[in-house]
Amino acid sequence: MIELKNVTKSFDGKNKVVSNLNLKIEKGEFVVLIGESGCGKTTTMKMINLLEKPTKGEIFIDGENVKSQDLMELRRNIGYVIQKVGLFPHMTIGENIELVPTLKKWSKEEKKARTFELLELMDLPAEDFYYRYPNELSGGQQQRIGIARALAVNPEIILMDEPFSALDPITREKLQDEMMNLQDELGKTIVFVTHDMDEALKLADKIAVIKDGEVIQFDTPEEILKNPANHFVEYFFGKDRMWKTPEMLLAKDIMKKKFGKIGVKGSPARAIEIMKERETNTLIVVDREGEKKQKPVGVVTRNMIMKNNGHSMKMKEIMASSEDFIIDENTNMVEVLNIMSKINFRSIPIVNKDKLLVGAITPISLLNIITEISPSIEGGEL
Ligand SMILES: Nc1ncnc2c1ncn2[C@@H]1O[C@H](COP(=O)(O)OP(=O)(O)OP(=O)(O)O)[C@@H](O)[C@H]1O
């Protein structure tokens, strides 16, 4: 775990570049620092491995103050990747990756085995790349070497300062995907600086939005989009961004908590009554009456009731069984729309992990969410 406690940094003794900053990064978390140019992202990151010294405040790694650690050891044990990868041109790729293992006095065999392993991990055939020089590699390949080098001694923590920003968009996206796979596999604690919102939303477990050297929101990408801490965060990420990333909208964000429902033993007459009260043509059928701990078992529409026309029948016989279309509350909007397109009624039950009914999605709830997140509609242009 990395903890920054009341950290302040001033280069000139007057202006605070980082101001009383607090941040707690859990083990295995991928944290992205984002903010406008000059807000203090890089300085914050550099203080973690003491490339910059805090003017005030303390930084702890796994509970130990970084100040009390041997500086060289500290830096060698934290992987560091920067934008211009900084490979030494006169050294082979193998030698570049083996820099820290050499400083740590690993044996030749150990170093080579590890470097081969890392090159394969980076999808670069080791037999070939090990012996090449940096200028024989493309920008994307060099950046992969930079990551391999940062991983060489298998550090728990990796700091990455805009590592992909000098790359073309396609290579950049490819490396982001690789980074995500790598993180799934290795589970490192990663602190990643970027000013690219899409990159932050894609990679981060948590995003720290920094403004004037202070963290103004530290949360998951979903929360930052759904509940921005203030206008700056909302403006910074763009109000319509949520709409561009519908996979971040979950059923629980869209669903209505109040909706028409009826027990399996309810009569058609009672169903029609509830439909009138609720001004709806569709009800969720639940396993038992009462407000709590109900499980959805089906959906009934006015048409189904009319077609059956048997007043003595119960909902159980009339309803469409919901086995195929019950949606978990954490299902994303893209999947919700997909499921809704396959059914021919207008209300769909949402359940929690215990399969209990927690809400319903209807066309109205979808419309509400579109209105909420789409700036053009908000402007009254509909
Ligand atoms: N060594 C230094 N000496 C003096 N001022 C510095 C030094 N390093 C950074 N600064 C200043 O501190 C402020 C924050 O810089 P920093 O590099 O941390 O910002 P950033 O958020 O990473 O910016 P960018 O996105 O443009 O890289 C800037 O105003 C910068 O000019």
Side-chain angles (χ1 to χ4, degrees):
M1 202 211 356
I2 307 171
E3 193 172 7
L4 287 86
K5 268 191 175 168
N6 303 320
V7 171
T8 294
K9 175 72 184 178
S10 172
F11 287 102
D12 57 8
K14 279 189 294 195
N15 299 314
K16 291 175 183 166
V17 167
V18 174
S19 177
N20 212 23
L21 184 139
N22 288 290
L23 203 57
K24 222 183 208 180
I25 299 169
E26 300 295 338
K27 200 173 160 70
E29 246 176 10
F30 196 124
V31 168
V32 171
L33 311 183
I34 197 166
E36 291 173 323
S37 182
C39 70
K41 306 180 290 290
T42 297
T43 308
T44 302
M45 172 178 275
K46 281 182 171 171
M47 286 192 285
I48 296 174
N49 62 356
L50 288 184
L51 281 173
E52 295 293 355
K53 271 194 186 150
T55 311
K56 265 194 213 153
E58 309 294 336
I59 298 174
F60 299 90
I61 294 179
D62 293 333
E64 200 183 332
N65 197 323
V66 288
K67 277 196 295 203
S68 58
Q69 299 179 34
D70 178 80
L71 192 60
M72 283 304 143
E73 258 319 278
L74 175 80
R75 288 194 194 144
R76 282 173 200 167
N77 288 333
I78 298 180
Y80 190 47
V81 187
I82 51 174
Q83 188 190 105
K84 295 240 165 51
V85 71
L87 298 177
F88 292 104
H90 59 285
M91 290 183 179
T92 63
I93 296 305
E95 286 163 343
N96 266 287
I97 297 177
E98 289 168 4
L99 272 174
V100 180
T102 302
L103 290 170
K104 288 200 165 227
K105 303 202 175 6
W106 287 19
S107 74
K108 226 175 171 179
E109 295 72 33
E110 265 181 311
K111 285 192 291 191
K112 192 166 177 185
R114 176 65 179 158
T115 306
F116 266 55
E117 189 186 350
L118 287 166
L119 285 169
E120 297 297 340
L121 192 68
M122 292 294 141
D123 227 8
L124 299 169
E127 272 303 341
D128 177 8
F129 280 84
Y130 187 82
Y131 303 99
R132 288 207 206 176
Y133 285 87
N135 65 359
E136 298 167 19
L137 269 58
S138 71
Q141 287 168 339
Q142 289 189 29
Q143 212 56 26
R144 284 195 187 95
I145 302 299
I147 297 171
R149 187 174 60 181
L151 289 168
V153 294
N154 205 12
E156 277 306 311
I157 297 171
I158 302 177
L159 309 179
M160 305 181 89
D161 195 352
E162 307 219 24
F164 307 141
S165 59
L167 303 172
D168 67 86
I170 295 172
T171 312
R172 180 174 191 152
E173 204 164 327
K174 193 155 183 281
L175 258 82
Q176 289 167 350
D177 292 340
E178 285 172 15
M179 197 64 224
M180 283 167 79
N181 293 338
L182 203 64
Q183 175 63 352
D184 279 350
E185 211 172 300
L186 305 177
K188 301 287 179 194
T189 308
I190 299 178
V191 185
F192 188 106
V193 165
T194 185
H195 55 256
D196 178 331
M197 255 74 75
D198 291 314
E199 187 164 79
L201 293 170
K202 181 171 170 181
L203 294 174
D205 293 319
K206 275 170 129 186
I207 297 175
V209 186
I210 300 182
K211 185 172 190 296
D212 301 331
E214 288 177 48
V215 175
I216 49 176
Q217 187 163 12
F218 183 46
D219 225 323
T220 61
E222 288 84 353
E223 268 310 299
I224 285 187
L225 289 183
K226 287 173 199 163
N227 297 308
N230 56 25
H231 284 309
F232 174 79
V233 180
E234 190 172 306
Y235 168 78
F236 192 67
F237 279 89
K239 213 171 184 303
D240 61 339
R241 193 165 293 270
M242 192 63 159
W243 193 228
K244 289 184 196 151
T245 46
E247 55 290 342
M248 278 195 188
L249 271 179
L250 306 181
K252 62 184 173 195
D253 306 314
I254 314 168
M255 70 186 188
K256 292 201 296 181
K257 290 191 177 141
K258 289 193 170 158
F259 50 90
K261 57 186 175 181
I262 185 165
V264 261
K265 292 181 185 157
S267 68
R270 178 71 189 128
I272 296 290
E273 204 177 296
I274 301 172
M275 284 178 187
K276 274 191 192 148
E277 273 168 28
R278 294 239 162 228
E279 295 180 2
T280 175
N281 286 326
T282 313
L283 299 179
I284 306 277
V285 183
V286 291
D287 58 344
R288 59 195 190 91
E289 294 288 340
E291 284 303 307
K292 284 184 188 151
K293 296 204 171 174
Q294 293 168 326
K295 286 189 177 165
V297 290
V299 169
V300 69
T301 65
R302 192 183 287 265
N303 269 348
M304 290 176 196
I305 293 175
M306 293 309 171
K307 264 193 211 152
N308 276 273
N309 201 19
H311 288 279
S312 61
M313 280 186 157
K314 303 284 185 226
M315 285 307 109
K316 202 173 170 183
E317 286 119 355
I318 304 172
M319 71 183 192
S321 165
S322 58
E323 266 166 36
D324 300 332
F325 55 79
I326 284 182
I327 294 181
D328 182 89
E329 60 183 348
N330 291 314
T331 308
N332 74 48
M333 177 142 157
V334 178
E335 274 179 65
V336 170
L337 289 174
N338 196 12
I339 295 169
M340 286 192 90
S341 71
K342 290 185 190 143
I343 56 170
N344 51 5
F345 40 83
R346 298 160 70 88
S347 192
I348 199 158
I350 309 300
V351 294
N352 64 14
K353 64 177 185 353
D354 301 321
K355 308 279 180 237
L356 297 175
L357 184 66
V358 287
I361 292 185
T362 65
I364 299 283
S365 43
L366 287 173
L367 251 185
N368 284 345
I369 200 80
I370 291 169
T371 319
E372 215 174 278
I373 61 182
S374 164
S376 59
I377 294 175
E378 191 192 47
E381 290 164 30
L382 248 193

